[in-house]
Each structure stands twice: as structure tokens, then as C-alpha cells.
Amino acid sequence: MKSKLAANVLSLLKISTIFVKRDAVNLALFTELTVLVPRLFVGFHVLTSSLSFYLGNSEGLTQLWRNAILTSHYLSGNFV
């Protein structure tokens, strides 16, 4: 487990040196966002899954919400 964590941290540092300005503030912001964005997606998925559980047998609703959040930043065919 620790070797995977170390490998992920090293790859994060490699990516950040390529795409992020080389100062402490931007590196800290990049690292914080790299950790917080997946937590946001997981939290939304847990929330929608819990809600669909309480609504009843509605896994389709969970899949619809998950696909909506993952593809919401793309333009649909109507606007292209």
C-alpha cells in the first residue's frame, strides 16, 4: 500500500512540475485540488446512491445522476 502511495505522490509531483507554476502556493493548490475533487465525486455518488436506496429499487436513477455529473461539462450535440 505504501509503495502505491509513494508512486502516486511521485507522479503527482511530476505532473505538477510540467503543468503548474513552480512556486509553493500553486503547488499546494494543485495538491489540494487533486485530493478534493475525487472526494467531491465520491461524496456525490454516495449521496445519490443513498437517496435511491431510500426511494426504493431505483439503481437507474443513481446511474442517471452519475452519468449527468460526469458528462455535465461537455456540450451536448444541440449546442455544437
Side-chain angles (χ1 to χ4, degrees):
M1 179 74 178
K2 288 187 179 185
S3 64
K4 286 186 178 182
L5 179 63
N8 288 338
V9 169
L10 287 175
S11 66
L12 174 66
L13 289 174
K14 287 179 189 176
I15 292 171
S16 66
T17 57
I18 295 171
F19 293 109
V20 180
K21 292 180 184 177
R22 292 180 174 93
D23 61 347
V25 175
N26 286 327
L27 181 62
L29 182 63
F30 179 75
T31 306
E32 184 177 350
L33 289 176
T34 303
V35 172
L36 290 179
V37 168
R39 286 185 181 185
L40 178 71
F41 280 107
V42 169
F44 184 76
H45 183 66
V46 168
L47 179 72
T48 56
S49 297
S50 299
L51 183 59
S52 69
F53 174 76
Y54 288 114
L55 289 175
N57 190 12
S58 58
E59 289 85 14
L61 185 60
T62 301
Q63 291 177 355
L64 177 73
W65 284 343
R66 184 180 62 228
N67 291 337
I69 194 75
L70 291 176
T71 60
S72 64
H73 61 279
Y74 294 113
L75 292 175
S76 69
N78 297 333
F79 298 109
V80 176

